[in-house]
Amino acid sequence: MIVQMRRFTVTEGNGHLMVEKFTKGGGLVEQQPGFIDKTVLEKKVRRGEEEVIMLVRWESEEAWKAWEKSPEHIAGHRENRGKPKPEYVLNVEVTMYEVK
């Protein structure tokens, strides 16, 4: 099993926008073979920059690669090509982990 972690740093007061984006149901990724689940975490902060983490678990690296190469995934990126990221997104880090 592998886990993809996406860590979003956003401006104060905007963490909920990332949470809403990633918790609405019916996404294409959830329908892909080998997809296990998705967890969205919002860091508790009193003020200042906020952090949202999305964990996506896959049965295997092959399943994740199949999603990355799928026409649906590629089409989604084409739709957003040339569009600026939202102003409230300060940083995005993507890392992959193998579950032992």
Side-chain angles (χ1 to χ4, degrees):
M1 178 187 329
I2 64 164
V3 177
Q4 181 185 61
M5 182 175 83
R6 292 175 174 248
R7 180 190 315 262
F8 300 88
T9 305
V10 300
T11 56
E12 184 174 350
N14 290 299
H16 72 283
L17 297 173
M18 298 306 293
V19 170
E20 290 168 9
K21 177 179 180 174
F22 295 122
T23 57
K24 62 182 177 186
L28 292 174
V29 70
E30 287 93 345
Q31 301 168 22
Q32 298 306 304
F35 171 85
I36 297 173
D37 66 9
K38 175 175 64 176
T39 303
V40 178
L41 308 168
E42 184 174 22
K43 185 176 182 180
K44 293 284 204 183
V45 295
R46 290 182 181 241
R47 62 181 140 248
E49 294 177 353
E50 299 178 13
E51 185 177 278
V52 175
I53 295 175
M54 180 174 64
L55 303 172
V56 182
R57 294 189 317 153
W58 294 91
E59 290 176 0
S60 66
E61 187 171 356
E62 292 75 24
W64 169 73
K65 285 180 180 179
W67 161 245
E68 290 285 307
K69 295 177 182 177
S70 72
E72 297 87 357
H73 184 257
I74 292 168
H77 281 278
R78 280 192 185 132
E79 270 183 37
N80 292 319
R81 187 177 290 150
K83 293 181 183 176
K85 68 179 181 181
E87 288 183 12
Y88 58 85
V89 176
L90 301 173
N91 189 45
V92 180
E93 296 175 40
V94 180
T95 50
M96 298 292 283
Y97 297 89
E98 184 174 5
V99 177
K100 300 293 185 182

